[in-house]
Amino acid sequence: MSKDIVVKKSKLNKKGVFAIRNFKRGEVVLKWKSKKVLTKEEVDRLPESERHHVSHYTPGEFLLQQKPERFVNHSCDPNTKVGNNCDVAIKDIKKGEEITSDYSVADIQLHFKCDCGSKNCRKYI
Ligand SMILES: [Zn+2]
């Protein structure tokens, strides 16, 4: 496990990823360990619970996220974005803050109710 983040209980979900040091905007918070590339057909065959952990990779290819990156919760006001198989800080993140990402920018059809609590929460993704 990285010394930058820790997985623990979250208010957003059962588990979440939290910063254990300060991050500057633009810094890589979490490098994904995912190496498993799936085709669209393989993604379609995954159970719904697993499909939540699929991320766009290249056109027509998808990554099944591993731990700990799959514990990064969705927020409508996220503090990271996905880039180059990493979660990259889009604002300064303080030690102890939960790491969040906007799932809806991924190229996957995901539909879920959101309860992230941010001011601009879209409620239904
Ligand atoms: Zn929300």
Side-chain angles (χ1 to χ4, degrees), residues 74-76 114-118 121-123 125:
H74 166 86
S75 172
C76 299
C114 185
D115 196 18
C116 71
S118 69
C121 181
R122 298 189 297 272
K123 299 289 181 198
I125 310 292

Side-chain angles (χ1 to χ4, degrees), residues 36-52 54 62 64 108:
K36 192 162 168 46
V37 177
L38 304 175
T39 64
K40 181 80 172 63
E41 290 71 36
E42 287 171 314
V43 170
D44 289 340
R45 281 200 295 270
L46 289 173
E48 183 72 36
S49 57
E50 283 295 294
R51 226 177 299 160
H52 262 328
V54 172
F62 302 90
L64 185 57
I108 316 284

Side-chain angles (χ1 to χ4, degrees), residues 103-116:
Y103 287 9
S104 65
V105 298
D107 225 16
I108 316 284
Q109 292 299 319
L110 278 179
H111 300 285
F112 58 95
K113 273 183 74 169
C114 185
D115 196 18
C116 71

Side-chain angles (χ1 to χ4, degrees), residues 17-28:
V17 174
F18 293 80
I20 53 176
R21 66 171 177 86
N22 295 332
F23 289 92
K24 285 252 180 302
R25 187 175 157 189
E27 251 190 287
V28 170

